[in-house]
Structures are given as structure tokens and as C-alpha cells.
């Protein structure tokens, strides 16, 4: 271990003791700060980075034990390793010091070899991860800093940093227990070590540090790689070894990894910056489907900054009332009669103008903001429907469709929210249809199943949105109480394609068999309407009928429809 990087604080009121010990420690390679008193020691510890304190017990003024107590009470310094220096026959002092939280002690006159061994033990303990025994974040950052400070003279002085995250680790932890989660991490650390040793020769790595950052995150510093391809090769091997089944809690579990890579570059001066970029690349690997390796490039940073900006702005948007709902009419295609609306979120950003849901719903889901936003959308859509009810009594059978995200379905308060909104607005439950995408069912399906059945029990309609995008097993259709299947736009736009027609036909037949109805979304042409009607698709929505409309425009549609209906009645 490169102990030369560690900084020791030596506290002793006796100048001779202090000088002798500090000189030897410095010769061994430590960086040493000295203090003459407890007060001075506390001041230094508060203003300098220190890895370990050697603390004399007997000092005039603030004693060693008093100093120790103060250190332990300080939130930032409370886990700083402290070795007490006591007189040989003062066993009471030692016991007291250990009780107060000293990590170890040495006796005077100090035996240098003993002191050194104890210092090393303490530093190692502080710099390794207790679960896996791997270097921890502190040590990893020290090594990375050392490599970054090295003059880049030779052609192969390049290096790479990996940021590794175990995909869906939380699922393992939650379903098999924390013990199994720990076992998984230990097993992975062994596999990584073996794989890295074996790849040494392939990629001509000169040195390599594998560390655990905490949680399910690991990092690797690979020294001696200049070619991105070599770094990727090493990372791919890590993916491969992680992918082999692991026996956990009596079953075989397989996991995947997302790995971000950043290559050394003169623009990096600080370890933090390099690690941040590796983390960003890892995040991209996750976002583009997990189980993969991504190499950092600057566009990722820009995208990450933009995301962060959206996140910050979105928080304000909720408070400042920048969100609105637009309403897209849903049409019963046989009679061309209005059957309801889908409420779609719109964000009027003060600088960017209109931001589309595709650009912010995902971020809102990740940050949890969707719970608040979705709750607002639900209440607003129901309120709007009731306002129209009052104005257009002849339309009191229209259904309001509201989109629900996976995250909302996992919130325990959802049922209460829906109940409250229905009772506050007076909208009958069957006139609310909650649209849920297939991906919802993938997440913790037991909980979701309970929630959906409870909503169904209240009389709320449920629709399966974007059907056919490929996530769902058909068994979901039996297991969950859906009233409606919404065929995804991609099938409708491609309905001239013979294969797609067959799929839509099969979905329609399946829906009929399960007493569900079918809505087609994204209808843009009359040909599509004709085709869909042949396939018994009842409801449709799309630009052909109407685009999503502001509430004022939607109101005009309602009024016109009322006039049409009245005209139809008077003819009949
Ligand atoms: P979605 O629920 O599948 O909504 C249908 C999307 O298709 C809407 O996009 C709509 O404007 C668009 N669309 C409708 N007809 C046509 C057409 O004929 N052609 C084309 N090309 N597109 C059409 P939008 O409004 O951009 O919403 C995108 C997605 O954002 C929605 O997909 C939904 O998943 C999500 N979203 C919107 N509002 C909410 C909300 O309040 N809560 C949640 N959780 N998600 C929402
Ligand atoms: Mg929808
Ligand atoms: Mg959809």
C-alpha cells in the first residue's frame, strides 16, 4: 500500500519526543503534522486532511483523553483513527482511552517497529471495504490521484477508470434478503479479481486497482492502457464473469452490470472529475438498456447537465403552475361520436417554451416528482371533466383517460388519492380510465396487482397503454383487470404491413375473448380507420380526428358535438 500518501498528526508536548518520532515517520514515507497541545491538535484536524492521529495522553492543559473525547464528538472527525501514546505502567489510562474510542495504543518509550505496525494496521482498516476486503473509496481516490499526478512521459502511461453498477441489485436484496445481497457482492468481487488478473496479459495492464465504492458500486483503475478497445475488452470480460449463475439462498441467480469507462486525458486534473465522468458513462449504459459498457464522451456530460437542468426546472414548474393538461378526443369510430378524452401533460417552460412529455416524464419518474405531478394531473383532469359536465349535460357519459406511471402504481397513497379526487369532484368512478403501460407490470408485480384490483373494485376503468411494444406476457391480460387495450401507434401507422395487420387482428380477437375493448392510438388517415374498423376496433384517437387540445379548444369540440347531436335528434 502506498503509505507515503497518508498524513499523520503527531501530538506531544515534549519537543524531543515529537521531533524524534516525526523524523522517523517521515523517513518511512509518511507526511507528518505536529502539534504541541490538544488545542493545537484539534485546530489542525479541523483544517487539514489527516489520516491518523498519534496522541500523547499526558499533556499539560487539555489532556490526551480530553482531546480524544473532543475528536469523537466532532461529526466530521469522529471516525479518525487515533493511537494513544501512554506511559508504560499506566494501564488505567489505556483502558480509559480505549473506552473513549481510541483505536489502539503504544507505550513510552516508543518502540518504533511496534508503532509502525499499529499505524499500518489502522490505515489499512480505514482504507479497505469491510465486506469484500477490497480497497474502499478513500484508497481508490488516493491511487487515482497518484496516477493523475504522475508525469505523462512514456507512450503507455495511459490509464482507464471503470465505474461498475450491478443492475437491479435492489431486487436481489429485497427479494432474497440482505445476507444474499452481501454474498452476491462478495462473489462478484472475487470474480472481478480473477478476471482482472487473467486479463492482465491480454490487455498489457501494468497495474490495476479494484475497489468497492459502497452499495453495489465498484470501480477499477487500470493502469497501462491507452487504447479504448483494450479497456472495453477488459470491461466485457467483467460483464461475462458476472453473467454466470451465482448460487444464492438456494437458487441460481444471474445478474448483469452496467459499466462506464473513462480514459485518461490531459484535461483531467482531479480524481473526482474522472470518477464523475465514469459515473456519467455508467448512467448512460443503464439508460440505454443496462447490461452493457459505455465509454464516456463529452456529449454525455452535456446531456447529463441538460437533464439536471430539467430536473431543477421541473421542481419549480410544479410550484409555479407551469404545467397544463391538453385533452385529445377519443372517438367511437363506428358512429364517429365523441367518447372521451385522454389528458396529456404539457409543460410551458418560461425560457424553452413547450417541453414535450417525452422529455420530462422519464426524469419525473426517476426523481419521484411524478407522484406529485401525476397526482395533480389526476385531480385536474377530473375537475375539468366535471366542469364540462355542468356546461354540457348531454355529454355526461364521456370518459376521462389519465396516464399513470409505474412509480405512481407503487405508491401506497395512490388508492387514497384516487378515492379523494373522485369524491371531491363527484366524478363517477367508471368515468375515469387510468392508462398504464406494460412496463408497470414488470415492476414488483404483486404490489401492482393488488393496487390494480383495488382500483377495479372501486369501479375505476383500467387501460393497458402502448400495447404491443413487446414487454408484456399475454398472461398479464388475465391477471390484471383491464377493460381496454390500447394498440400502440407503431401498429396503426404500419397497418398496411401484412404482418402488423395480423398482430392487430390477433390482439382484437384476444381482447374480445377476454371481454375487453380496443382503442387504437395515432390514427392519421381514413384508410387506417377503415382497416381498424374491419378488425373490430371500437375506439380511436389520433391527429385525423383531433390533436391534443387546450381545454378551451376541447370545449369547442364539445359544443360542436352537442349541436351535431341536437341536429341529429331533430332530424330523427
Ligand atoms: P401516450 O399515453 O401513449 O399518449 C399518446 C401520445 O401519442 C401523445 O403524445 C399524443 O400526443 C400522441 N399522439 C396522439 N395521436 C397521434 C397521432 O395521430 N400521431 C402521432 N404521431 N402522435 C399522436 P404526448 O402528448 O407527447 O405524450 C407522450 C407520452 O407521455 C404519453 O404517451 C404518456 O406515456 C406520457 N404522458 C403524457 N401525459 C402524462 C401524464 O399525465 N402522466 C404520465 N404518467 N404520463 C404522461
Ligand atoms: Mg396514454
Ligand atoms: Mg400510448
Amino acid at each position: 500500500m502506498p503509505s507515503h500518501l497518508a498524513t499523520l498528526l503527531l501530538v506531544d508536548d515534549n519537543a524531543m519526543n515529537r521531533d524524534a518520532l516525526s523524523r522517523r515517520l517521515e523517513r518511512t514515507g509518511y507526511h507528518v503534522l505536529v502539534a504541541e497541545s490538544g488545542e493545537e491538535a484539534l485546530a489542525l484536524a479541523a483544517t487539514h486532511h489527516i489520516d491518523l492521529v498519534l496522541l500523547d495522553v499526558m499533556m499539560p492543559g487539555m489532556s490526551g483523553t480530553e482531546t480524544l473525547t473532543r475528536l469523537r464528538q466532532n461529526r466530521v472527525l469522529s471516525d479518525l483513527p487515533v493511537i494513544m501514546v501512554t506511559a508504560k505502567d499506566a494501564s488505567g489510562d489505556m483502558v480509559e482511552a480505549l473506552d473513549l474510542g481510541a483505536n489502539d495504543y503504544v507505550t513510552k518509550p516508543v518502540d518504533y517497529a511496534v508503532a509502525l505496525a499499529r499505524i499500518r494496521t489502522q490505515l489499512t482498516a480505514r482504507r479497505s471495504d469491510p465486506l469484500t476486503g477490497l480497497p474502499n473509496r478513500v484508497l481508490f481516490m488516493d491511487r487515482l490521484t497518484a496516477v493523475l499526478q504522475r508525469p505523462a512521459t512514456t507512450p503507455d502511461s495511459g490509464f482507464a477508470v471503470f465505474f461498475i453498477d450491478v443492475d437491479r441489485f435492489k431486487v436481489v436484496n429485497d427479494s432474497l434478503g440482505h445476507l444474499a445481497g452481501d454474498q452476491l457482492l462478495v462473489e462478484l468481487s472475487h470474480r472481478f479479481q480473477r478476471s482482472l488478473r487473467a486479463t492482465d496479459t491480454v490487455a498489457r495492464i501494468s497495474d490495476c486497482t479494484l475497489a468497492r465504492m459502497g452499495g453495489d458500486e465498484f470501480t477499477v483503475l487500470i493502469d497501462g492502457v491507452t487504447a479504448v478497445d483494450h479497456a472495453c475488452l477488459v470491461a466485457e470480460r467483467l460483464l461475462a464473469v458476472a453473467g454466470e449463475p451465482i448460487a444464492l439462498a438456494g437458487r441460481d441467480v444471474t445478474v448483469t452490470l452496467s459499466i462506464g469507462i473513462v480514459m485518461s486525458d490531459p484535461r483531467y486534473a482531479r480524481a473526482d472529475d474522472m470518477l464523475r465522468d465514469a459515473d456519467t458513462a455508467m448512467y448512460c449504459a443503464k439508460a440505454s438498456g443496462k447490461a452493457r459498457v459505455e465509454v464516456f464522451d463529452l456529449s454525455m456530460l452535456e446531456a447529463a447537465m441538460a437533464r439536471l437542468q430539467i430536473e431543477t426546472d421541473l421542481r419549480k414548474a410544479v410550484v409555479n403552475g407551469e404545467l397544463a393538461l391538453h385533452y385529445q378526443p377519443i372517438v367511437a369510430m363506428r358512429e364517429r361520436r365523441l367518447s372521451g378524452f385522454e389528458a396529456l401533460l404539457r409543460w410551458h417552460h418560461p425560457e424553452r417554451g413547450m417541453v414535450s412529455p417525452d422529455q420530462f416524464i422519464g426524469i419525473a419518474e426517476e426523481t419521484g416528482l411524478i407522484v406529485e405531478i401525476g397526482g395533480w394531473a389526476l385531480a385536474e383532469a377530473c375537475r375539468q371533466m366535471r366542469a364540462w359536465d355542468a356546461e354540457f349535460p348531454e355529454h355526461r357519459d364521456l370518459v376521462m383517460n389519465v396516464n399513470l406511471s409505474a412509480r405512481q402504481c407503487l405508491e401506497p397513497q395512490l388508492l387514497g388519492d384516487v378515492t379523494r379526487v373522485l369524491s371531491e369532484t363527484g366524478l363517477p368512478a367508471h368515468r375515469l380510465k387510468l392508462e398504464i403501460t406494460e412496463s408497470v407490470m414488470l415492476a414488483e408485480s404483486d404490489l401492482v396487482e393488488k393496487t390494480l384490483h383495488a382500483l377495479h373494485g372501486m369501479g375505476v376503468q383500467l387501460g393497458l397503454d402502448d400495447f404491443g411494444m413487446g414487454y408484456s406476457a399475454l398472461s398479464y391480460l388475465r391477471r390484471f383487470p383491464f377493460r381496454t387495450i390500447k394498440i400502440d401507434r407503431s401498429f396503426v401507422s404500419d397497418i398496411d404491413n401484412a404482418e402488423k395487420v395480423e398482430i392487430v387482428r390477433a390482439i382484437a380477437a384476444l381482447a374480445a375473448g377476454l371481454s375487453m375493448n380496443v382503442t387504437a392510438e395515432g390514427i392519421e388517415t381514413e384508410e387506417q380507420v377503415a382497416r381498424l374498423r374491419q378488425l373490430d376496433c371500437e375506439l380511436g384517437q389520433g391527429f385525423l380526428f383531433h390533436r391534443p387540445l387546450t381545454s378551451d379548444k376541447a370545449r369547442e369540440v364539445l359544443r360542436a358535438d352537442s349541436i351535431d347531436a341536437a341536429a341529429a335528434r331533430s332530424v330523427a
Side-chain angles (χ1 to χ4, degrees):
M1 192 202 332
S3 52
H4 58 277
L5 290 165
T7 302
L8 312 183
L9 172 60
L10 175 57
V11 193
D12 198 320
D13 60 304
N14 181 313
M16 227 159 51
N17 290 349
R18 217 167 49 220
D19 293 349
L21 191 53
S22 75
R23 228 176 298 121
R24 294 199 69 171
L25 288 168
E26 280 186 332
R27 246 181 277 133
T28 309
Y30 293 106
H31 180 48
V32 184
L33 296 173
V34 292
E36 290 180 24
S37 67
E39 290 87 347
E40 196 188 345
L42 291 173
L44 281 172
T47 50
H48 290 70
H49 171 83
I50 287 162
D51 296 292
L52 181 142
V53 184
L54 277 162
L55 184 57
D56 188 18
V57 174
M58 291 284 287
M59 291 188 294
M62 190 186 289
S63 72
T65 40
E66 165 94 47
T67 312
L68 173 64
T69 308
R70 297 277 188 98
L71 281 173
R72 289 297 178 249
Q73 284 165 351
N74 183 305
R75 198 171 45 80
V76 182
L77 303 172
S78 62
D79 64 350
L80 189 60
V82 176
I83 297 180
M84 303 301 285
V85 185
T86 66
K88 203 178 213 105
D89 44 9
S91 63
D93 283 353
M94 298 171 204
V95 174
E96 187 192 0
L98 291 174
D99 276 349
L100 289 171
N103 299 73
D104 206 345
Y105 63 88
V106 289
T107 52
K108 283 183 186 174
V110 174
D111 177 333
Y112 188 68
V114 171
L116 204 57
R118 297 200 165 161
I119 289 169
R120 285 199 170 127
T121 306
Q122 287 306 321
L123 288 178
T124 311
R126 193 170 151 75
R127 301 173 135 238
S128 68
D129 170 58
L131 178 67
T132 59
L134 294 176
N136 65 9
R137 172 186 281 271
V138 177
L139 178 50
F140 184 83
M141 294 310 260
D142 275 356
R143 294 224 176 139
L144 183 53
T145 304
V147 173
L148 278 164
Q149 284 166 354
R150 179 179 69 191
T153 42
T154 53
D156 51 46
S157 61
F159 54 95
V161 171
F162 295 0
F163 202 108
I164 307 175
D165 189 281
V166 183
D167 298 329
R168 302 196 179 86
F169 177 71
K170 198 177 163 321
V171 176
V172 173
N173 236 359
D174 291 350
S175 57
L176 300 181
H178 290 262
L179 207 63
D182 283 356
Q183 274 170 12
L184 173 65
L185 294 173
V186 171
E187 173 61 23
L188 283 176
S189 74
H190 291 159
R191 291 183 183 191
F192 291 164
Q193 278 171 306
R194 278 199 298 274
S195 168
L196 289 168
R197 270 199 298 271
T199 356
D200 272 10
T201 47
V202 184
R204 281 184 279 284
I205 299 169
S206 60
D207 194 13
C208 169
T209 302
L210 169 67
R212 179 170 175 232
M213 288 284 114
D216 60 342
E217 294 172 347
F218 294 87
T219 49
V220 189
L221 166 60
I222 297 188
D223 203 0
V225 281
T226 345
V228 174
D229 291 354
H230 280 173
C232 287
L233 186 76
V234 179
E236 297 285 353
R237 302 263 298 240
L238 295 178
L239 285 189
V241 295
E244 282 158 30
I246 299 174
L248 282 183
R251 44 174 114 186
D252 273 349
V253 174
T254 51
V255 295
T256 59
L257 311 172
S258 296
I259 303 184
I261 299 182
V262 60
M263 302 299 295
S264 56
D265 185 292
R267 75 169 181 274
Y268 289 119
R270 288 161 14 120
D272 275 343
D273 294 343
M274 233 185 139
L275 199 67
R276 177 204 61 207
D277 288 354
D279 189 11
T280 302
M282 184 281 288
Y283 184 85
C284 286
K286 285 238 187 259
S288 45
K290 306 196 171 88
R292 70 190 63 219
V293 177
E294 289 284 348
V295 180
F296 177 79
D297 70 64
L298 278 175
S299 68
M300 287 180 181
L301 197 60
E302 281 153 24
M305 305 279 246
R307 280 180 48 86
L308 200 64
Q309 191 60 51
I310 290 192
E311 187 184 324
T312 316
D313 293 352
L314 196 53
R315 287 180 197 279
K316 284 188 264 172
V318 182
V319 183
N320 296 350
E322 293 161 16
L323 297 175
L325 288 179
H326 281 193
Y327 300 91
Q328 186 172 37
I330 298 175
V331 175
M333 288 194 282
R334 195 154 46 91
E335 314 90 340
R336 292 275 172 133
R337 182 178 48 78
L338 188 62
S339 108
F341 293 95
E342 175 173 10
L344 294 161
L345 269 168
R346 295 293 178 264
W347 178 10
H348 299 281
H349 191 285
E351 286 129 41
R352 296 163 187 244
M354 182 86 95
V355 183
S356 95
D358 294 330
Q359 285 177 274
F360 70 86
I361 295 283
I363 296 174
E365 284 176 345
E366 278 167 38
T367 54
L369 272 172
I370 192 68
V371 176
E372 194 180 338
I373 295 176
W376 174 82
L378 174 72
E380 176 59 18
C382 294
R383 188 203 60 75
Q384 180 64 76
M385 189 82 268
R386 290 299 282 164
W388 287 333
D389 278 357
E391 195 174 351
F392 307 103
E394 65 280 21
H395 279 311
R396 281 191 181 170
D397 54 353
L398 298 183
V399 172
M400 182 58 85
N401 291 29
V402 177
N403 291 286
L404 212 58
S405 86
R407 182 74 179 252
Q408 288 173 276
C409 290
L410 295 171
E411 285 298 315
Q413 89 225 31
L414 178 69
L415 288 175
D417 283 356
V418 174
T419 312
R420 187 175 43 76
V421 166
L422 290 176
S423 83
E424 278 175 13
T425 58
L427 186 71
H430 71 272
R431 294 182 55 203
L432 174 64
K433 188 183 283 183
L434 296 174
E435 294 191 4
I436 295 153
T437 63
E438 298 173 82
S439 59
V440 170
M441 264 69 68
L442 293 176
E444 318 205 20
S445 50
D446 287 346
L447 180 58
V448 172
E449 189 176 355
K450 268 203 203 105
T451 308
L452 296 192
H453 278 282
L455 286 167
H456 176 69
M458 288 161 55
V460 173
Q461 296 193 53
L462 298 172
L464 184 53
D465 207 351
D466 306 332
F467 188 77
M469 289 306 283
Y471 300 110
S472 78
L474 291 174
S475 62
Y476 288 145
L477 291 179
R478 282 201 162 283
R479 200 167 141 200
F480 300 100
F482 291 110
R483 264 293 278 286
T484 306
I485 295 176
K486 253 190 159 178
I487 299 178
D488 190 68
R489 185 159 81 225
S490 58
F491 289 94
V492 175
S493 62
D494 244 8
I495 200 137
D496 287 335
N497 169 326
E499 196 187 326
K500 292 272 164 92
V501 179
E502 285 317 312
I503 295 176
V504 175
R505 193 194 307 280
I507 294 175
L510 184 75
L514 294 167
S515 313
M516 297 177 189
N517 57 31
V518 178
T519 305
E521 62 183 351
I523 300 175
E524 294 182 353
T525 66
E526 288 292 349
E527 292 76 60
Q528 290 165 351
V529 176
R531 288 273 195 177
L532 288 162
R533 284 199 47 200
Q534 281 166 12
L535 297 172
D536 276 340
C537 179
E538 215 178 302
L539 302 173
Q541 99 193 63
F543 294 173
L544 174 68
F545 305 119
H546 294 283
R547 289 184 174 253
L549 308 168
T550 61
S551 65
D552 283 345
K553 286 267 158 48
R555 187 162 158 267
E556 283 170 26
V557 170
L558 282 163
R559 181 180 298 135
D561 203 77
S562 308
I563 294 166
D564 285 354
R569 265 199 303 278
S570 71
V571 169

